[in-house]
């Protein structure tokens, strides 16, 4: 579960000043963060425009997370199976996800976050790929972007 990151105050972690809005992003700055993390400057990043899930499917997933939420955690994670994802959305939507992401999935995690003034620090994923699909409308939250 190390890949998914954790919200905290990461004061001296490389790039935290950018994540907290204290500095502007430049190519040189991004390269310095990657070098500090001993990352690969030739790695690729893909940004795909959805929607992968329609509004009703996203709302069903939000309801599922809320109904399983422990009421305490500011960063609640709910693991789900592929069959549960299909049940909560549709075979067609999951097919679109797999066409984009690939079918070599190890974890499907729904995340409910209520953090303020904290961030997930820049880190090197152990996973070959990470897909993030916001379930809320972008006007309902601040942050939460893969960079």
């Amino acid at each position: 579960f190390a890949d998914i990151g954790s919200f905290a105050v990461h004061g001296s972690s490389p790039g935290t000043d950018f994540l907290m809005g204290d500095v502007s992003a430049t190519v040189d700055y991004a390269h310095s963060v990657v070098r500090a993390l001993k990352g690969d400057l030739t790695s690729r990043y893909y940004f795909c425009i959805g929607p992968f899930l329609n509004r009703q499917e996203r709302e069903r997933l939000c309801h599922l997370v809320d109904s399983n939420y422990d009421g305490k955690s500011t960063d609640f994670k709910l693991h789900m199976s592929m069959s549960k994802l299909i049940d909560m959305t549709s075979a067609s939507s999951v097919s679109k996800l797999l066409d984009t992401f690939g079918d070599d999935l190890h974890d499907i995690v729904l995340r409910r976050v209520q953090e303020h003034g904290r961030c997930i620090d820049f880190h090197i994923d152990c996973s070959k790929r990470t897909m993030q699909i916001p379930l809320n409308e972008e006007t309902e939250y601040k942050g939460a972007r893969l960079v």
Side-chain angles (χ1 to χ4, degrees):
F1 224 21
D3 282 40
I4 204 164
S6 61
F7 282 86
V9 176
H10 300 281
S12 62
S13 180
T16 298
D17 47 355
F18 165 73
L19 293 172
M20 299 306 292
D22 297 332
V23 299
S24 299
T26 65
V27 171
D28 288 339
Y29 180 83
H31 285 182
S32 73
V33 171
V34 172
R35 281 192 296 275
L37 294 172
K38 297 178 177 42
D40 181 356
L41 287 170
T42 64
S43 291
R44 296 178 297 192
Y45 173 80
Y46 297 99
F47 181 81
C48 303
I49 303 291
F52 292 99
L53 303 173
N54 66 41
R55 182 178 188 83
Q56 292 81 18
E57 291 169 333
R58 292 191 321 267
E59 287 173 354
R60 281 194 296 272
L61 291 171
C62 283
H63 179 72
L64 176 68
V65 172
D66 287 344
S67 65
N68 284 274
Y69 176 54
D70 63 9
K72 300 173 191 164
S73 176
T74 57
D75 186 9
F76 178 73
K77 298 168 192 83
L78 177 66
H79 290 265
M80 70 184 323
S81 66
M82 178 66 72
S83 61
K84 183 70 171 178
L85 181 60
I86 291 169
D87 288 346
M88 296 300 295
T89 58
S90 68
S92 172
S93 290
V94 172
S95 179
K96 283 191 293 187
L97 290 170
L98 295 177
D99 287 346
T100 302
F101 188 75
D103 61 1
D104 187 21
L105 298 179
H106 298 281
D107 289 305
I108 300 171
V109 181
L110 299 182
R111 192 171 197 173
R112 183 186 196 278
V113 178
Q114 298 181 150
E115 289 287 357
H116 301 282
R118 296 173 183 234
C119 63
I120 296 176
D121 61 336
F122 284 105
H123 58 279
I124 305 290
D125 279 358
C126 298
S127 299
K128 291 181 182 179
R129 290 185 231 145
T130 300
M131 178 183 269
Q132 175 181 327
I133 301 173
L135 299 179
N136 299 83
E137 298 297 329
E138 288 189 27
T139 57
E140 297 179 48
Y141 60 88
K142 181 179 177 184
R145 305 284 191 282
L146 290 177
V147 178

